[in-house]
Amino acid sequence: QVQLVESGGGLVQTGGSLRLSCAASGRTFSSYAMGWFRQAPGKEREFVAAISGSYVNIYSTNYAESVKGRFTISRDNAKNTVYLQMNLLKPEDTNIYYCAANSANALHTTKESYAYWGQGTQVTVSS
C-alpha cells in the first residue's frame, strides 16, 4: 500500500514557476514508477509526466507534448518524494494536479495504469 500527499500548488502569474511535491509512504517507493496527472472541472484526467523507479538513481522520464520543455519531473528516493518543476506557466495549465504511483515501474500515460493516487493540489495561473 502506498499513500501519496501532494503539496506546492497555488496561484501564479503567466510565465511564473511552481514546484509541486508528492510525499509517499511505503518502503517500496524506489521501485515504483511515479506520474503526475491533471484535471480540470468537467474534463478527463490527463497525463503530464512520469518517471521510472530505480535503486541505482538512473531514471527514465516521459512528458506530455503540452509540457515538454517547460515541466521537469524528478524524484528523491531518500526522501520518498517526487517533484514536478513547472516553468513558463500558462493559463491553460490551471488544473488540479495529482500524483500517482504504479508498481509495474512503467512510464504509463493512462490513468488506469496507476493504482495509487494523492488527493490533488490546485494550480491556478492568472493571465
Side-chain angles (χ1 to χ4, degrees):
Q1 188 76 8
V2 177
Q3 293 184 326
L4 305 172
V5 179
E6 302 98 333
S7 62
L11 173 65
V12 65
Q13 291 185 333
T14 296
S17 299
L18 280 175
R19 188 176 80 156
L20 305 183
S21 299
C22 173
S25 65
R27 296 186 298 173
T28 56
F29 172 77
S30 298
S31 66
Y32 280 56
M34 302 297 295
W36 285 97
F37 288 73
R38 63 189 185 184
Q39 186 171 21
K43 293 189 176 182
E44 287 289 313
R45 191 168 296 188
E46 65 175 16
F47 170 75
V48 176
I51 186 167
S52 63
S54 174
Y55 287 106
V56 294
N57 294 331
I58 299 174
Y59 307 106
S60 298
T61 57
N62 189 21
Y63 295 92
E65 285 296 325
S66 59
V67 306
K68 276 184 181 178
R70 300 188 299 123
F71 290 12
T72 302
I73 188 170
S74 63
R75 65 191 296 163
D76 185 339
N77 287 342
K79 296 182 179 179
N80 273 20
T81 301
V82 63
Y83 304 98
L84 185 68
Q85 177 67 44
M86 305 186 295
N87 298 328
L88 299 174
L89 283 161
K90 305 174 182 179
E92 51 264 42
D93 294 318
T94 295
N95 277 285
I96 299 175
Y97 284 72
Y98 296 90
C99 175
N102 85 71
S103 60
N105 196 18
L107 299 179
H108 292 302
T109 61
T110 58
K111 60 183 185 298
E112 292 78 10
S113 301
Y114 291 80
Y116 305 103
W117 292 88
Q119 82 290 348
T121 185
Q122 176 72 47
V123 171
T124 303
V125 184
S126 63
S127 58

